[in-house]
Amino acid sequence: MAAQWPEVERAEKEKRRELVLQGADERLRQCDGQLPPALFSLTLLNYLEVSGCSELRELPADVGRLSHLQSLILCKNKLRSLPQGLEQLRGLKVLDVSGNELEELPAELCNLPELCTLNVSWNRLRELPPGLERCTKLAGVNLSRNLIARLPAGLMSPQLALLASITAADNQLQELGGEIGRLSGLKQSLDLSNNQLTEIPPELADCTKLKEINFKGNKLKDKRLEKMVNGCQTKSILEYLRVGGRGGGKGKSKIENAVKEEVKDKKKKQRKPKKDSGGDDEDDEVGDMNRMMLRILHISDNPTALVVRAGASVKDVRPYIVCCVVKGMNLKPGNALKRFLTAQTKLHEDLCDKRTLATIATHDLLLVKGPLLYDARPPKEFTIVPLNRKEINAKELVRQLQFEAEEQRKQKKRQNVSGLHKYLHLLDGKENYPCLVDAENAVISFPPITNSDKTKVRKSTRDLLLEVTSSSSLQTCKDVMDALIAKMAELNKFTLENKEEEVTSDTEPDEVVAHQKPVAEPTPEAEGSSELVLEQVRVADADGNLKVLYPSKTDLNLSSPFSVMR
């Protein structure tokens, strides 16, 4: 008996523009590894994702019938080839075939005139097809985790004036040609870490707009240049290559002078008195190796990416949620944790308008058991261990907080109350309460009131799950999340620069501190960098259809001194 594909039938009936098929191995086995023919009749689709299917080894040429397709996501399957029919997708902008078993790409791939993003990472590719220069709208290419020995000439063509980012880490690159200097639009990042490069061509200095260069894990002959690479000093690297990297004569003395000047500048900075966190020295911060760096790890490059499902019942209660994983926070030194908690409280008061617009919750990622479910349940039917309290069901917790609020009013003889009590009115008239539930059916968040003691943040926490919920709009959630991440980057940089003593006890009366499994000590490299890594988190509805992916290309449009590596 043929397998049923209700998602496909529903998409056809409702004339949907998006379709997501995930983990459909059992149905694929029943169909001899073939996707249902009806799928390729959904000509209105502009987004198609088929992912996490280990039984999917090939894609039929019929995919070319999906003439309106703009995004085709085929990550984490077992694809061994791609069909020539791809070239019929003339409007395709995003192609993600990461995490498959591809050994080659069809030449027809280069005939996609609208292609902006190409992700072929985590495959077995040894080369790319010639003719990539015809994809003149390419803006980002990810080739990491393959077997590529040389970047193709087409990828370095001046015709690719919009190409802003190249990621080719963990390959077998032995040489980077001087043609790299032709890419005038290369301004976001060039990541060639963990390859076999011994030199960096001086022509790279012609890419003057580059914000981030990563050549770590290569065996560079020039040890001074290698030191700059390991210190992530992008501007210094480009200047070094520009001044003397082309070799010979006067160039050498210019290099020496440039290095001496850099040493002098560092000594001057060390002699300067420390400034308050509100200092005006923004130009120095931008040039500093410890500036506020945010690196985004895309969900297609992250096999362990966290997923959140939103239940249908939450739609009428608190429908909007955005999540993000942030790695690399250092909360151990001095008052770092207290500053973080204070910043979160201030965002609640100001940007969130006393939680009426949105609510923030932060969790220790190590204590979060995914996948997660964002749901709405009757208050009698779920329990939570609130921060600094014992386990209690939601109805009783609200009743208890109401009683405490009344006692506060009597003692202080005024209407104002403090703490969680001042948010109780936000639940007025709600038959069901929103909650975020982990894979063990434990409630880790009860917005807009409290998170759970189970996932509290403490000083030893370095990796966090951020959650913003709202009853007003999705954009509100995104705006608050943008502001929270920007503040975290500022705090992390401030902590690094001020070198306070590490404190291992959690003494602050915070909204988020608790028992945690011991974790490995961070490496010195991690301790010495203010860079934060952001992992995308996908929120889908009960049928697996995408609701929101954060951060997307339109999120975190932060100006200097922030640097966002997408």
Side-chain angles (χ1 to χ4, degrees):
M1 180 179 177
Q4 298 297 312
W5 296 81
E7 306 97 321
V8 176
E9 294 172 5
R10 193 181 303 114
E12 183 177 19
K13 182 179 179 182
E14 298 177 4
K15 295 182 171 23
R16 292 193 176 186
R17 275 19 181 212
E18 297 185 359
L19 178 62
V20 177
L21 301 173
Q22 291 182 320
D25 280 345
E26 183 57 38
R27 286 180 286 178
L28 282 166
R29 275 193 286 270
Q30 294 179 37
C31 299
D32 297 324
Q34 300 294 317
L35 290 167
L39 170 61
F40 305 106
S41 299
L42 303 177
T43 54
L44 294 178
L45 286 179
N46 55 44
Y47 179 95
L48 174 62
E49 176 180 337
V50 184
S51 60
C53 300
S54 60
E55 294 293 321
L56 184 62
R57 290 176 170 77
E58 64 178 1
L59 194 68
D62 284 348
V63 70
R65 294 165 56 191
L66 303 178
S67 55
H68 288 87
L69 212 57
Q70 294 182 12
S71 297
L72 180 58
I73 313 299
L74 300 169
C75 58
K76 291 178 278 192
N77 300 301
K78 295 290 184 181
L79 291 173
R80 293 169 183 169
S81 63
L82 295 177
Q84 295 179 354
L86 277 180
E87 71 173 326
Q88 298 175 40
L89 304 178
R90 308 298 290 175
L92 194 67
K93 296 180 179 179
V94 177
L95 178 61
D96 183 346
V97 291
S98 60
N100 284 283
E101 297 179 352
L102 299 172
E103 295 185 0
E104 63 178 0
L105 297 174
E108 290 75 14
L109 183 71
C110 302
N111 297 331
L112 299 175
E114 300 297 319
L115 191 64
C116 297
T117 302
L118 176 64
N119 187 347
V120 296
S121 61
W122 293 79
N123 278 286
R124 302 172 181 174
L125 301 172
R126 295 185 179 276
E127 60 182 6
L128 298 182
L132 278 173
E133 66 274 11
R134 297 198 296 273
C135 300
T136 56
K137 294 188 179 180
L138 263 181
V141 176
N142 189 341
L143 317 172
S144 58
R145 297 273 181 168
N146 278 287
L147 304 170
I148 298 171
R150 183 178 175 86
L151 296 179
L155 194 60
M156 316 260 215
S157 169
Q159 292 177 243
L160 302 184
L162 301 179
L163 187 57
S165 174
I166 298 176
T167 302
D170 298 284
N171 275 281
Q172 296 178 3
L173 296 174
Q174 298 178 9
E175 181 182 356
L176 178 63
E179 299 87 355
I180 190 72
R182 300 175 183 174
L183 296 178
S184 58
L186 197 61
K187 57 185 179 180
Q188 289 294 340
S189 64
L190 176 64
D191 185 352
L192 302 181
S193 57
N194 300 320
N195 277 283
Q196 299 172 18
L197 299 172
T198 57
E199 295 180 346
I200 301 177
E203 289 83 0
L204 182 61
D206 296 333
C207 300
T208 56
K209 299 177 182 178
L210 255 179
K211 294 179 181 177
E212 178 71 8
I213 296 173
N214 189 354
F215 283 91
K216 291 182 180 179
N218 289 285
K219 296 183 178 180
L220 301 178
K221 294 178 181 177
D222 188 329
K223 297 307 175 185
R224 181 172 291 157
L225 185 56
E226 187 174 56
K227 187 175 181 180
M228 293 180 188
V229 164
N230 291 333
C232 303
Q233 300 177 50
T234 298
K235 286 194 173 182
S236 297
I237 293 169
L238 293 178
E239 180 63 17
Y240 183 83
L241 294 172
R242 185 187 70 81
V243 173
R246 299 176 195 273
K250 296 180 181 180
K252 292 185 178 180
S253 62
K254 288 183 179 181
I255 295 172
E256 297 298 330
N257 291 334
V259 174
K260 287 177 182 178
E261 288 300 317
E262 186 175 357
V263 171
K264 285 181 182 178
D265 288 342
K266 286 184 178 180
K267 288 181 178 178
K268 286 179 182 178
K269 287 179 182 178
Q270 290 171 357
R271 288 196 294 266
K272 284 182 181 178
K274 289 184 180 177
K275 297 186 178 182
D276 294 332
S277 58
D280 296 324
D281 199 9
E282 290 186 2
D283 291 336
D284 285 345
E285 288 181 353
V286 172
D288 193 85
M289 63 179 285
N290 293 318
R291 61 185 174 170
M292 288 176 277
M293 305 287 294
L294 300 170
R295 183 186 300 276
I296 297 175
L297 177 61
H298 292 261
I299 196 166
S300 56
D301 295 331
N302 185 7
T304 60
L306 191 65
V307 176
V308 179
R309 288 290 177 97
S313 58
V314 83
K315 181 178 179 181
D316 300 322
V317 180
R318 194 177 184 86
Y320 306 108
I321 181 170
V322 169
C323 296
C324 181
V325 166
V326 176
K327 294 188 172 183
M329 277 298 288
N330 186 6
L331 300 173
K332 281 186 178 181
N335 291 320
L337 177 58
K338 186 175 182 178
R339 286 192 292 270
F340 172 62
L341 299 171
T342 300
Q344 185 177 328
T345 300
K346 191 172 186 340
L347 283 172
H348 268 147
E349 290 297 306
D350 299 337
L351 189 57
C352 298
D353 195 14
K354 297 181 172 59
R355 302 198 193 190
T356 58
L357 293 179
T359 304
I360 300 166
T362 55
H363 308 271
D364 187 321
L365 183 65
L366 282 178
L367 303 178
V368 174
K369 309 296 182 185
L372 303 177
L373 171 65
Y374 182 51
D375 205 5
R377 299 177 176 181
K380 285 184 178 180
E381 295 183 10
F382 73 88
T383 63
I384 185 171
V385 182
L387 297 170
N388 308 315
R389 294 172 182 256
K390 295 181 180 179
E391 185 173 14
I392 189 172
N393 76 43
K395 184 176 181 64
E396 182 61 23
L397 173 62
V398 172
R399 190 201 65 77
Q400 192 179 96
L401 291 171
Q402 288 171 337
F403 175 78
E404 291 173 4
E406 191 59 35
E407 288 298 304
Q408 271 191 33
R409 291 190 186 99
K410 289 178 181 178
Q411 290 174 13
K412 297 183 179 180
K413 296 182 180 180
R414 61 184 183 186
Q415 284 300 106
N416 292 337
V417 291
S418 61
L420 300 178
H421 313 93
K422 59 187 176 183
Y423 306 119
L424 292 174
H425 69 280
L426 299 174
L427 294 173
D428 290 350
K430 304 290 186 187
E431 293 184 5
N432 295 324
Y433 290 169
C435 54
L436 188 62
V437 185
D438 71 6
E440 298 174 344
N441 202 36
V443 174
I444 64 172
S445 177
F446 172 23
I449 304 302
T450 182
N451 356 343
S452 168
D453 199 76
K454 179 180 180 181
T455 56
K456 276 183 182 178
V457 175
R458 64 182 301 173
K459 282 186 172 293
S460 55
T461 299
R462 287 190 65 85
D463 303 339
L464 297 93
L465 168 65
L466 310 183
E467 160 209 341
V468 177
T469 60
S470 173
S471 57
S472 56
S473 75
L474 184 64
Q475 191 58 48
T476 297
C477 291
K478 290 188 166 193
D479 291 343
V480 171
M481 186 68 85
D482 284 359
L484 176 60
I485 289 173
K487 178 55 68 174
M488 290 172 70
E490 290 175 3
L491 293 174
N492 216 37
K493 187 173 190 298
F494 180 86
T495 298
L496 179 67
E497 291 176 342
N498 284 268
K499 302 190 182 302
E500 300 166 293
E501 283 188 35
E502 287 194 357
V503 180
T504 55
S505 62
D506 301 299
T507 56
E508 293 87 348
D510 54 271
E511 291 186 337
V512 279
V513 189
H515 310 296
Q516 175 180 322
K517 301 173 187 174
V519 296
E521 286 295 317
T523 64
E525 180 179 335
E527 291 285 7
S529 172
S530 62
E531 179 181 278
L532 295 180
V533 176
L534 314 182
E535 294 185 0
Q536 290 181 318
V537 175
R538 184 178 185 275
V539 179
D541 65 18
D543 296 323
N545 299 307
L546 180 69
K547 290 176 70 71
V548 60
L549 180 69
Y550 184 93
S552 69
K553 287 184 178 180
T554 58
D555 302 319
L556 286 171
N557 290 317
L558 305 175
S559 57
S560 178
F562 295 94
S563 182
V564 182
M565 309 311 301
R566 299 182 187 276

